[in-house]
């Protein structure tokens, strides 16, 4: 009996030892030359890293790159096959997130679904989000999207000088309506939008790579705020207050509306109701609070980036705008604005939307995954506790898939006047991979498509003119951080005619009447 017990201990131990020895004998994936001890810390750029990573991958002839940055193992994947093999086929071990002490412990952003480690709390968030934003459910909210799109058109007719701010207001309006059933047209609603923008700005600034040393040296989180060099503690305290207000203020307003029976269908209302009760137990309210705040923070700036990049592309290629005008004028009935029923008959507008996702993709390196166990892939050792990133920029600018990849060319998705389904849909990479793929991707594309169709149908989009009558070439810098998007640039957005302005106003009035 003792022998049996001894064997029961020794056999698994020997197997684990052999496996560990096998792993440690495997080579790491190819890596650029580094320095002793610090590895690639000083050769890794802090901006546009995806370009450098892609160059290194090409030089080394690999689609799986290894880096050592301040002692942290990093794996960069540069092909869809490798991303699918690891992040989807082995998703049970590749679905965690790296730990960021500044965000989670100091700033209070650990509520965010995007940052949550793979576990039960994350699963609860995703069940709630999928029930509301999944492919079968997202079409139920197209009327809300149409209302916010038409409101955007109305504001641009009145004032298009700072069109980026108007697009930002539209994105916030859409998500506040969908998540909380609130309307930014009211004084209270505008306050919710302002609070969200403050919180979102804090999240974006804090997400800039390498901003806080505490993320690399976690013990620094214990340094008191009054000590020299602890300015990050002050920032974290201030941002924590902003973020708490961001997630609690609209949530509490929605709960009050539910108590008075005055809550339109929205994520919070639905999730706190019978649908949510079926999905989870007594901690439902905390999960709904966090999941709703996560959806807003993930959706606003990404939408703004895609729409503004689309406008930039149309300025560079006025013939694309002209072709889209012709298609819309041919398909959309006189006296109407585009709607989702027109989508099958507007393949070139869809091609513009797809190219807008691809051309200046909003998350060049996606959101980092994390593997807590040792793994092997194609003879290479993937060290445990490695950060794993997909170079989405490289995938979406692959010359073999998208010839002339740095040009804005919606026609790459067309075969004559018919949408070309043989061209790889950029959605294979732009929403992420595996179990951490964007839960709101169906609804997001609906909003992007209708916004682009409506903007093109209602407006002429042209380069701004200087005092000498010379067109101003837009050449905006792109902000780097959690979201890659253009800074404001000069542009003229003018109604194509008075008839279009009247159509927009009539649509806005109709939405208001239907909501009464």
């Amino acid at each position: 009996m003792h022998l049996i017990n001894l064997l029961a201990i020794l056999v698994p131990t020997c197997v684990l030892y052999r496996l560990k020895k096998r792993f440690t004998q495997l080579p790491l994936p190819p890596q650029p030359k580094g320095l002793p001890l610090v590895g690639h810390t000083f050769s890794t750029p802090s901006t546009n890293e995806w370009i450098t990573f892609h160059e290194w991958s090409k030089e080394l002839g690999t689609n799986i790159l290894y880096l050592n940055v301040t002692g942290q193992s990093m794996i960069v994947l540069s092909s869809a096959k490798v991303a699918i093999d690891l992040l989807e086929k082995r998703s049970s071990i590749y679905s965690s997130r790296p730990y960021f002490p500044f965000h989670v412990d100091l700033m209070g952003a650990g509520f965010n679904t995007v940052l949550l480690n793979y576990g039960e709390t994350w699963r609860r968030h995703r069940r709630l989000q999928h029930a509301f934003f999944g492919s079968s459910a997202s079409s139920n909210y197209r009327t809300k999207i149409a209302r916010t799109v038409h409101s955007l058109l109305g504001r641009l007719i009145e004032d298009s000088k700072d069109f980026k701010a108007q697009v930002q207001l539209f994105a916030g309006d859409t998500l506040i309506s969908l998540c909380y059933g609130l309307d930014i047209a009211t004084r209270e609603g505008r306050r919710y939008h302002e609070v969200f923008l403050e919180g979102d700005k804090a999240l974006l600034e804090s997400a800039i790579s390498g901003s806080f040393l505490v993320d690399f040296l976690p013990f620094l989180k214990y340094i008191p705020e009054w000590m020299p060099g602890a300015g990050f503690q002050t920032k974290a305290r201030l941002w924590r207050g902003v973020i708490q207000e961001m997630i609690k203020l609209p949530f509490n307003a929605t709960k009050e509306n539910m108590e008075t029976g005055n809550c339109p269908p929205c994520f919070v209302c639905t999730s706190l109701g019978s649908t949510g009760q079926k999905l989870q137990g007594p901690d439902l309210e905390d999960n709904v609070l966090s999941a709703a705040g996560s959806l807003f923070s993930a959706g606003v700036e990404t939408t703004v980036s895609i729409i503004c990049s689309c406008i930039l592309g149309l300025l560079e290629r006025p013939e694309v705008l002209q072709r889209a005008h012709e298609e819309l004028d041919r398909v959309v009935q006189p006296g109407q604005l585009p709607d989702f029923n027109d989508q099958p008959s507007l393949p070139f507008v869809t091609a513009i939307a797809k190219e807008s996702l691809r051309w200046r993709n909003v998350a060049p390196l996606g959101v980092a995954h994390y593997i807590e166990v040792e793994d092997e892939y194609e003879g290479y050792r993937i060290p445990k506790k490695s950060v794993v990133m997909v170079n989405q920029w490289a995938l979406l600018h692959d010359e073999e898939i998208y010839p002339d990849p740095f040009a804005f060319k919606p026609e790459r998705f067309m075969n004559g006047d018919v949408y070309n389904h043989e061209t790889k849909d950029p959605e294979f990479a732009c929403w992420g991979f595996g179990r951490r793929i964007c839960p709101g991707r169906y609804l997001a594309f609906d909003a992007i498509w209708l916004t682009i169709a409506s903007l093109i149908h209602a407006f002429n989009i042209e380069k701004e003119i200087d005092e000498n009558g010379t067109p101003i070439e837009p050449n905006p810098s792109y902000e780097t951080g959690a979201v890659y998007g253009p800074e404001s640039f000069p542009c003229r957005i003018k109604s194509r005619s008075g008839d279009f302005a009247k159509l927009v106003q009539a649509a806005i009035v109709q939405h208001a009447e239907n909501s009464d």
Side-chain angles (χ1 to χ4, degrees):
M1 192 67 181
H2 292 294
L3 179 61
I4 294 174
N5 291 336
L6 182 62
L7 288 173
I9 295 172
L10 288 177
V11 171
T13 302
C14 291
V15 170
L16 289 173
Y17 174 77
R18 290 179 64 85
L19 286 173
K20 183 177 181 180
K21 185 176 180 181
R22 178 185 168 217
F23 275 131
T24 56
Q25 289 175 342
L26 292 173
L28 292 167
Q31 56 183 296
K33 290 183 179 180
L35 296 173
L37 299 178
V38 297
H40 309 99
T41 302
F42 299 114
S43 56
T44 300
S46 58
T47 60
N48 297 340
E49 310 97 298
W50 47 92
I51 298 176
T52 301
F53 294 163
H54 183 52
E55 291 172 350
W56 284 342
S57 296
K58 288 175 66 176
E59 290 170 3
L60 295 167
T62 183
N63 286 319
I64 177 167
L65 184 72
Y66 173 82
L67 301 170
N68 173 6
V69 180
T70 62
Q72 173 65 64
S73 294
M74 295 174 58
I75 305 293
V76 184
L77 313 178
S78 297
S79 82
K81 179 184 183 303
V82 179
I84 290 169
D85 284 349
L86 296 183
L87 306 187
E88 295 189 0
K89 294 181 180 179
R90 304 183 191 180
S91 59
S92 62
I93 60 172
Y94 280 91
S95 295
S96 288
R97 292 294 195 212
Y99 167 55
F100 298 108
F102 184 84
H103 294 78
V104 175
D105 298 327
L106 302 180
M107 188 176 164
F111 72 90
N112 198 319
T113 310
V114 175
L115 297 178
L116 280 176
N117 203 15
Y118 184 62
E120 187 55 35
T121 301
W122 174 83
R123 292 187 186 93
R124 290 169 179 170
H125 282 209
R126 286 301 291 251
R127 283 196 292 267
L128 289 167
Q129 292 166 351
H130 181 75
F132 191 85
F133 292 111
S135 58
S136 60
S138 61
S139 60
N140 298 331
Y141 305 98
R142 286 179 164 181
T143 300
K144 285 180 176 286
I145 294 173
R147 180 193 67 77
T148 57
V149 168
H150 296 157
S151 295
L152 168 64
L153 300 183
R155 290 192 298 271
L156 288 173
I157 289 171
E158 294 177 2
D159 180 14
S160 63
K161 189 171 182 62
D162 190 356
F163 68 88
K164 183 178 179 181
Q166 299 288 20
V167 174
Q168 193 174 52
L169 189 61
F170 149 73
D173 187 9
T174 303
L175 284 161
I176 288 173
S177 174
L178 290 168
C179 291
Y180 301 98
L182 303 172
D183 185 356
I184 66 168
T186 65
R187 179 180 298 178
E188 294 82 1
R190 184 60 67 96
R191 174 58 184 156
Y192 303 139
H193 178 73
E194 292 170 353
V195 166
F196 262 118
L197 291 185
E198 290 173 11
D200 206 35
K201 181 180 178 182
L203 289 169
L204 290 172
E205 287 185 16
S206 66
I208 296 174
S209 178
S211 294
F212 301 99
L213 189 60
V214 66
D215 284 334
F216 301 99
L217 302 173
F219 68 86
L220 293 177
K221 69 183 180 181
Y222 299 109
I223 293 177
E225 187 176 336
W226 52 264
M227 284 191 66
F232 67 92
Q233 293 281 18
T234 303
K235 273 192 174 181
R237 175 174 54 80
L238 296 174
W239 283 347
R240 176 185 284 269
V242 169
I243 288 172
Q244 287 301 305
E245 187 178 23
M246 179 188 82
I247 64 174
K248 290 181 178 179
L249 189 67
F251 180 80
N252 290 334
T254 302
K255 282 184 62 181
E256 291 176 6
N257 289 339
M258 290 179 66
E259 291 171 0
T260 60
N262 189 32
C263 184
C266 64
F267 174 76
V268 170
C269 182
T270 301
S271 299
L272 290 178
S274 58
T275 299
Q277 295 292 349
K278 293 176 183 177
L279 294 174
Q280 55 191 126
D283 55 353
L284 173 64
E285 186 167 310
D286 286 341
N287 283 297
V288 174
L289 168 73
S290 299
S294 303
L295 289 165
F296 185 93
S297 62
V300 171
E301 291 303 324
T302 52
T303 302
V304 173
S305 173
I306 292 167
I307 299 302
C308 290
S309 288
C310 177
I311 292 172
L312 188 62
L314 295 174
L315 291 176
E316 291 187 8
R317 299 280 312 282
E319 67 274 19
V320 169
L321 182 66
Q322 178 62 33
R323 180 174 174 180
H325 277 157
E326 293 170 359
E327 182 180 74
L328 284 155
D329 291 344
R330 185 171 60 251
V331 172
V332 179
Q333 294 297 313
Q336 301 293 321
L337 292 170
D339 64 31
F340 290 106
N341 293 325
D342 298 316
Q343 192 167 3
S345 302
L346 294 170
F348 192 62
V349 171
T350 299
I352 293 174
K354 296 291 186 180
E355 182 71 342
S356 299
L357 292 177
R358 185 205 70 83
W359 182 47
R360 303 279 176 87
N361 59 303
V362 299
L365 289 174
V367 181
H369 292 235
Y370 188 75
I371 179 171
E372 297 180 351
V373 298
E374 203 90 355
D375 195 22
E376 174 202 349
Y377 182 74
E378 294 191 345
Y380 293 123
R381 177 169 67 93
I382 310 297
K384 65 179 180 179
K385 298 184 179 180
S386 290
V387 173
V388 182
M389 297 179 290
V390 181
N391 193 338
Q392 296 180 9
W393 178 88
L395 271 58
L396 294 170
H397 294 81
D398 186 337
E399 294 181 359
E400 294 185 5
I401 301 174
Y402 305 108
D404 196 9
F406 302 107
F408 183 78
K409 295 179 67 173
E411 58 268 31
R412 71 176 79 247
F413 296 99
M414 298 294 292
N415 185 3
D417 292 330
V418 179
Y419 189 85
N420 183 9
H421 290 281
E422 293 184 3
T423 300
K424 199 170 187 67
D425 191 325
E427 296 194 45
F428 85 96
C430 67
W431 304 118
F433 291 87
R435 300 182 188 183
R436 304 305 294 241
I437 194 169
C438 174
R441 60 195 181 280
Y442 303 108
L443 191 142
F445 186 75
D446 279 351
I448 290 163
W449 184 89
L450 188 62
T451 305
I452 290 172
S454 301
L455 284 172
I456 293 174
H457 191 54
F459 297 107
N460 287 313
I461 301 172
E462 302 170 345
K463 293 176 183 177
E464 186 58 272
I465 305 296
D466 66 17
E467 61 274 11
N468 298 318
T470 304
I472 301 173
E473 294 296 330
N475 188 27
S477 298
Y478 266 69
E479 300 164 327
T480 58
V483 175
Y484 182 71
E487 296 179 348
S488 296
F489 54 89
C491 175
R492 298 177 70 183
I493 300 177
K494 300 295 182 183
S495 176
R496 294 176 68 192
S497 73
D499 290 339
F500 283 102
K502 292 177 183 177
L503 278 177
V504 171
Q505 294 304 324
I508 292 172
V509 170
Q510 185 65 48
H511 286 300
E513 292 175 350
N514 291 340
S515 64
D516 290 340

